Amino acid sequence: MNGEQEQGRFKYVLFDVDGTLIDAVSNQRRVWASWAERYGLDADEVYRVALRTRPMETFAEVAPGHDARECLAVLHALEDEDVRTGVYGAFDGAADLLHALYAGTWALVTSNYEHRVRGRFQRTGLPLPEVIVDAAAVEEGKPSPVPYLRAAGLLGAVPEECLVIEDAPSGVRSGLAAGMTVWGVNTASAVDGVHRHFTGLREAVPHILAALPGPQRALRPQAS
């Protein structure tokens, strides 16, 4: 589908957070390295596993002799400390894009926890939406369609009205399984299944705004 056909096609936009709006790769690597050090494990190997599995699955693979609940508690403590003290950056274009959106037309759908998302957004100066679907809000996380369907329901939307912005394969599969259009950002090559691909978020901004109702197509001037 070309850009002209997409103009004004969607009423809502649903964003992943880490890797899509917030650049947290170095933070995640540092947290997992600290976690690995606690258990005397190789940090590079732990991070390699963590990139493709959920935390409990990671623990089962790299630290099978340890209590998974204890491992998770340690990880959560390290993540919370990183939110308080780590350095975060928003991807280029994120602030302009989010400030241009009207309340009630967008949501965050994250595998993280809401208090960490709020902390990161406050640190980077990004606005927060009314709807945030986090790991605690659903029983099934990405790549299940449940998180994106939950966000759509809270917005009063149907899947066909929603545009999903993602960077990771599990998130892309989640949006597709929910019956939504998915655009990929911040990856050198397109993730399997995306309807459109942009190497950077900044490149995607005008296209996202053009795909929403008319008044949101122009960036609003930012306060000085």
Side-chain angles (χ1 to χ4, degrees), residues 13-201:
V13 58
L14 312 179
F15 296 97
D16 173 51
V17 177
D18 294 336
T20 297
L21 298 173
I22 299 286
D23 187 356
V25 172
S26 61
N27 302 77
Q28 292 168 342
R29 182 180 286 275
R30 184 166 54 250
V31 165
W32 276 109
S34 297
W35 184 90
E37 184 179 0
R38 296 278 187 96
Y39 291 93
L41 301 171
D42 180 81
D44 290 338
E45 173 62 16
V46 168
Y47 188 66
R48 183 188 66 79
V49 175
L51 282 176
R52 59 177 174 79
T53 60
R54 299 175 187 176
M56 297 299 276
E57 296 166 342
T58 301
F59 307 145
E61 183 167 339
V62 304
H66 293 277
D67 186 299
R69 291 171 297 181
E70 175 195 305
C71 292
L72 186 62
V74 171
L75 180 66
H76 283 175
L78 291 168
E79 289 178 326
D80 287 344
E81 177 62 22
D82 185 71
V83 170
R84 291 190 293 269
T85 63
V87 176
Y88 285 90
F91 282 105
D92 182 31
D96 287 342
L97 174 57
L98 299 187
H99 280 290
L101 300 174
Y102 292 129
T105 66
W106 62 290
L108 301 178
V109 182
T110 176
S111 298
N112 212 320
Y113 289 87
E114 183 172 345
H115 71 279
R116 294 189 197 121
V117 172
R118 289 185 176 276
R120 292 177 180 183
F121 271 54
Q122 289 170 359
R123 297 285 298 279
T124 54
L126 295 179
L128 284 161
E130 297 172 359
V131 173
I132 300 175
V133 174
D134 72 345
V138 292
E139 293 185 2
E140 296 180 28
K142 303 174 186 178
S144 164
V146 170
Y148 279 109
L149 290 175
R150 171 72 171 164
L154 292 172
L155 289 170
V158 297
E160 293 77 12
E161 298 174 320
C162 298
L163 172 63
V164 170
I165 309 299
E166 270 280 359
D167 75 296
S170 63
V172 169
R173 293 198 299 272
S174 176
L176 294 173
M180 300 175 183
T181 297
V182 182
W183 290 359
V185 297
N186 299 332
T187 60
S189 57
V191 175
D192 288 346
V194 296
H195 296 91
R196 294 189 70 176
H197 168 247
F198 303 91
T199 56
L201 180 64

